[in-house]
Amino acid sequence: EEEGELEELGTHCCRWMNCGTVYEQKDELVRHIEKTHVDQRKAEDFTCFWMGCPRSLKPFNARYKLLIHMRVHSGEKPNKCTFEGCKKAFSRLENLKIHLRSHTGEKPYLCQHPGCHKAFSNSSDRAKHQRTHLETKPYTCQVPGCAKRYTDPSSLRKHVKSHSSKEQQLRKKMRSATRDALTDCLTISPLQTSLSPLARAENNPNPSPG
């Protein structure tokens, strides 16, 4: 779920090709992008020229699609949660609708598997759940010696993290054992002085009769 705070501090720089204009307010940057860059595009040429954009100059087929896309770069999130005390805001209206269900408890997406009555607030969560009804588990753990399989990638990611945690604990134990072994090796035991027969006789003035 895409989310963010309503207010963000700092300067906002336009990284459109050959631009670099800087604004103090995000709203100013948003207006600049729309008026200077998007509105100046020729008809049917709706290409994002933002430096580093992963679309790699692949054009959109409509002006409004380019405008919505530019929110990814500008950070604009005009769709604000209306619930009191909640400061979440979203760039896409659909994401706001999904978020609002966390307040209302609405779950309109019912599991389509026969006999299952679970419901979800969004379609992606329902899709993940419905895979649990299938016998196939396409997401396999790649750690050597582990044969775990999962129905969705998020479950696999959580599982892989458990491997990392166990590995860190094992390394910590090995470091501790190595440190203890080195300590034992470096410990200097007091030398036992070997006494001569004459010294032993002097230390024992009352020898037992032979």
Side-chain angles (χ1 to χ4, degrees), residues 14-190:
C14 178
R15 297 185 61 201
W16 194 274
M17 189 180 299
N18 300 322
C19 186
T21 308
V22 177
Y23 296 93
E24 292 186 0
Q25 301 296 326
K26 183 186 296 183
D27 289 345
E28 294 176 327
L29 173 62
V30 171
R31 286 193 295 271
H32 163 78
I33 291 173
E34 180 177 358
K35 300 301 181 185
T36 305
H37 300 305
V38 177
D39 284 354
Q40 300 302 317
R41 308 308 303 157
K42 297 179 181 178
E44 300 182 5
D45 179 16
F46 304 108
T47 303
C48 175
F49 287 94
W50 196 270
M51 301 297 292
C53 179
R55 286 187 63 85
S56 301
L57 303 181
K58 180 181 178 181
F60 291 93
N61 59 7
R63 176 182 177 276
Y64 80 91
K65 291 183 180 180
L66 176 57
L67 282 175
I68 292 175
H69 166 76
M70 292 311 300
R71 293 172 184 170
V72 174
H73 302 308
S74 68
E76 180 193 13
K77 296 177 180 179
N79 302 292
K80 300 174 177 60
C81 180
T82 55
F83 276 77
E84 184 177 357
C86 185
K87 295 185 178 181
K88 297 293 178 63
F90 305 85
S91 62
R92 296 176 58 226
L93 180 60
E94 180 60 29
N95 288 335
L96 172 61
K97 290 179 179 178
I98 293 172
H99 167 74
L100 289 175
R101 293 175 191 141
S102 69
H103 293 294
T104 64
E106 180 188 6
K107 295 181 178 181
Y109 296 93
L110 302 177
C111 177
Q112 297 169 329
H113 191 272
C116 184
H117 303 290
K118 288 195 173 183
F120 302 87
S121 62
N122 60 80
S123 58
S124 60
D125 283 349
R126 179 180 64 179
K128 292 178 184 177
H129 163 75
Q130 288 186 159
R131 283 197 290 268
T132 64
H133 293 296
L134 303 176
E135 293 183 1
T136 57
K137 295 182 178 181
Y139 300 96
T140 308
C141 179
Q142 301 298 317
V143 174
C146 184
K148 291 277 189 178
R149 302 174 66 91
Y150 296 89
T151 56
D152 61 273
S154 60
S155 297
L156 174 61
R157 284 194 295 270
K158 291 178 183 177
H159 166 73
V160 171
K161 286 182 181 178
S162 71
H163 278 297
S164 301
S165 177
K166 291 176 182 177
E167 185 178 349
Q168 288 175 0
Q169 291 176 1
L170 180 60
R171 287 179 179 176
K172 187 176 181 180
K173 287 182 179 179
M174 290 178 65
R175 285 197 298 268
S176 178
T178 303
R179 190 164 51 247
D180 292 344
L182 287 172
T183 301
D184 292 342
C185 291
L186 296 174
T187 300
I188 301 176
S189 301

